[in-house]
């Protein structure tokens, strides 16, 4: 039997057309100019039966080799271990199906979870308040830039060259829509961190709303963040730090060295790589900017009888009444992803997060030192690094990425994807999941030549 | 309930008041307006030196119920803002014509005063 997979029967359609007083679907679309309409049937292959469809999808899935490889990939998505308690609890029906907690009377559990998320993020950032999450690190960075433009009442957005190039693209897309100028400060090519002299030159104009920096930066290098923050603020700009939350287990909270807004991507906190999504972004700021904080915020309060309760707070402004004047158009958050991270952080605890960061640091440094000892290889940048670094191999007769892949190891991405002059320079990330054996295996794939 | 509408002030349809003091004027929102808004929790004020035309929004008053723009009664340049509202926005509720004032302006076009309401006319609009 042929099933069209279209829920309306011919009779349904006739009834709808009759109710509209027209005879055909063509007539319904008459208002759309003909040149905007597709004048031919959609180019679709013939329908498949269910077993055929399953077989087809299994074939596509089998073509993905990534899952079986050992992952040293970096560049913003990391292969961290996810304790089984995390997906187990986050996958519970109460969480997985709950939608927007607009009605606090029946959403206390969800609201409390979000409140705890905000509390943990504020603590990691070293700042007073955090919102209930953003879509991802890149959009959180762009939203932070808008916040800063409104707070500083200046227009220029200064972004450091060490910020992930794709986050910079998102930022430029956002800023372009509002005609806000974006200035990129170059990275010192040998150190891999911000050229402070170039930063000073940009700041000297006195029109910068904010300086956006990433710590560790896109190349894995540790920026002199306190120094950059100090210079930004001396120039009257806000300092926005985008930080890998795992690194905050070890590095000082940016709020403590003066950052006004701290953002980042939360994939490292218990979310699978999943081909790049969904992630969540976090955004924390000083208390005085709470009314500029985009998105939603959960607050804790007491009812008339002194009992604790949780509500969406400060929502009059951006969420409901003044949409036309809102400075952000975010109207939801990645609640389930944020909840997953909350469970992950609770499972690790502060000491666990610190230990995790230490393991990443030590393993990454082990591998980096060994790679530097291999003939032909060098580390591209001299600055200190956390869990990720760039390596180069400059002889044309050997391709490290291909050699690694052949031995079952994924490395990269290749920086040439964003900067053509850096073609052949690979990012290598080492998480706590990578074993000594795996690292030595990668070294063997690069060191032992046929 | 009738709200206090002091004599000698100018009023707008949008519930701002203006007290003229020589070349300058003080702007706030009326007792009626603060009562309609409910508890004021935040007031956003402009920067000193900013210039606005009559009927242009110069700030925001946020209450537990809503968020409202406040508008200039006449064209003016801001010469002072009420800094006390940053920590005590409730002054707008408690003393709308006194300590709850919003901004002091230099009046740029006195002819516009003629377009404003007097106390009697405003009282009639809000009774």
């Amino acid at each position: 039997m042929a099933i069209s997979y279209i829920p309306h029967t011919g009779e349904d359609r006739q009834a709808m057309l009759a109710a509209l007083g027209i005879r055909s679907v063509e007539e319904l679309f008459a208002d759309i100019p003909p040149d905007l309409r597709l004048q031919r049937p959609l180019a679709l292959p013939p329908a498949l039966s269910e077993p055929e469809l399953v077989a087809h999808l299994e074939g596509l899935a089998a073509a993905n080799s990534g899952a079986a490889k050992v992952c040293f990939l970096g560049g913003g998505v990391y292969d961290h271990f996810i304790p089984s308690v995390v997906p187990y609890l986050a996958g519970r029906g109460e969480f997985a199906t709950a939608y927007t907690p607009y009605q606090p009377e029946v959403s206390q559990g969800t609201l409390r979870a979000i409140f705890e998320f905000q509390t943990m993020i504020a603590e990691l950032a070293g700042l007073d308040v955090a919102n209930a999450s953003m879509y991802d690190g890149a959009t959180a960075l762009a939203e932070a830039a808008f916040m800063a433009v409104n707070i500083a009442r200046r227009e220029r957005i200064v972004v450091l060259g060490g910020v992930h190039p794709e986050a910079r693209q998102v930022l430029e897309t956002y800023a372009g829509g509002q005609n806000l100028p974006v200035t990129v400060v170059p990275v010192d090519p040998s150190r891999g961190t911000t050229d402070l002299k170039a930063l000073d030159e940009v700041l000297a104009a006195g029109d910068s709303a904010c300086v956006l920096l990433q710590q560790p930066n896109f190349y894995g290098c540790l920026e002199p963040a306190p120094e950059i923050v100090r210079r930004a603020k001396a120039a009257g700009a806000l300092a926005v730090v985008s930080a890998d939350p795992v690194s905050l287990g070890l590095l000082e909270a940016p709020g403590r060295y003066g950052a006004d807004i701290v953002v980042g991507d939360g994939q490292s906190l218990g979310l699978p790589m999943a081909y790049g999504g969904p992630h969540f972004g976090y955004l924390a700021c000083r208390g005085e900017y709470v009314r500029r904080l985009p998105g939603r915020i959960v607050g804790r309060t007491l009812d008339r009888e002194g009992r604790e309760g949780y509500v969406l707070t400060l929502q009059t402004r951006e969420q409901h009444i003044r949409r036309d004047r809102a400075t952000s158009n975010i109207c939801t958050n990645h609640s389930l992803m944020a909840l997953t991270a909350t469970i992950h952080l609770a499972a690790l605890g502060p000491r666990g997060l610190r230990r995790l960061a230490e393991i990443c640091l030590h393993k990454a440094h082990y591998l980096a030192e060994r790679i530097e000892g291999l003939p032909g290889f060098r580390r591209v940048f001299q600055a200190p690094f956390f869990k990720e670094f760039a390596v180069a191999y400059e002889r044309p007769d050997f391709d490290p990425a291909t050699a690694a892949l052949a031995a079952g190891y994924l490395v990269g991405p290749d920086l040439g994807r964003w900067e053509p002059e850096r073609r052949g320079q690979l990012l290598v990330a080492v998480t706590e999941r990578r074993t000594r054996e795996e690292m030595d295996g990668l070294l063997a794939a690069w060191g032992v030549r046929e | 309930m009738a709200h206090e509408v002091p004599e000698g002030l100018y009023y707008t349809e949008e519930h701002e008041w203006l007290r003229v003091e020589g070349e300058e004027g003080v702007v706030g929102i009326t007792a009626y307006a603060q009562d309609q808004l409910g508890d004021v929790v935040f007031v956003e004020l402009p920067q000193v030196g900013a210039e606005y035309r009559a009927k242009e929004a110069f700030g925001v008053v946020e209450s537990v119920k809503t968020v409202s723009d406040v508008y200039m009664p006449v064209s003016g340049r801001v010469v002072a803002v009420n800094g006390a509202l940053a920590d005590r926005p409730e002054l707008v509720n408690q003393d709308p014509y006194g300590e709850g004032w919003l901004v002091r302006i230099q009046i740029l076009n006195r002819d516009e005063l003629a377009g404003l309401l007097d106390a009697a006319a405003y009282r009639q609009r809000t009774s």
Side-chain angles (χ1 to χ4, degrees), chain A residues 145 149 152-158 178-182 207-210:
Chain A
V149 164
R153 303 196 202 209
R154 292 179 179 181
E155 294 207 326
R156 181 167 307 284
I157 296 166
V158 177
Q178 305 231 4
N179 294 318
L180 296 169
V182 176
D207 63 347
S208 305
C210 57

Side-chain angles (χ1 to χ4, degrees), chain A residues 29-85:
Chain A
F29 295 146
D31 287 337
I32 302 172
D35 58 321
L36 296 179
R37 295 175 59 184
L38 193 63
Q39 303 293 336
R40 54 174 174 76
L42 288 172
L44 292 173
L48 299 178
S49 69
E50 185 175 344
E52 286 169 331
L53 183 65
V54 169
H56 175 65
L57 292 175
E58 280 173 351
L60 291 177
N64 288 321
S65 62
K69 308 280 187 210
V70 175
C71 181
F72 287 97
L73 292 172
V77 183
Y78 302 97
D79 184 27
H80 284 289
F81 180 71
I82 301 171
S84 53
V85 64

Side-chain angles (χ1 to χ4, degrees), chain A residues 21 27 110 139 144 158 161 262 357 391 393 447:
Chain A
E27 232 177 296
T110 303
T139 53
V158 177
V262 177
V391 297
Y393 186 84

Side-chain angles (χ1 to χ4, degrees), chain A residues 37 49 98 115 149 196 217 219 260 307 314 378 386 434:
Chain A
R37 295 175 59 184
S49 69
F115 185 84
V149 164
L196 292 176
N217 73 18
Y219 306 115
D260 299 290
R307 292 172 303 194
L314 299 176
R378 65 177 173 92
F386 172 54
R434 296 292 68 86

Side-chain angles (χ1 to χ4, degrees), chain B residues 58-75:
Chain B
F58 69 88
V60 178
V61 176
E62 182 173 336
S63 72
V64 291
K65 287 197 285 202
T66 187
V67 182
S68 308
D69 286 329
V70 276
Y71 303 94
M72 276 288 167
V74 293
S75 301

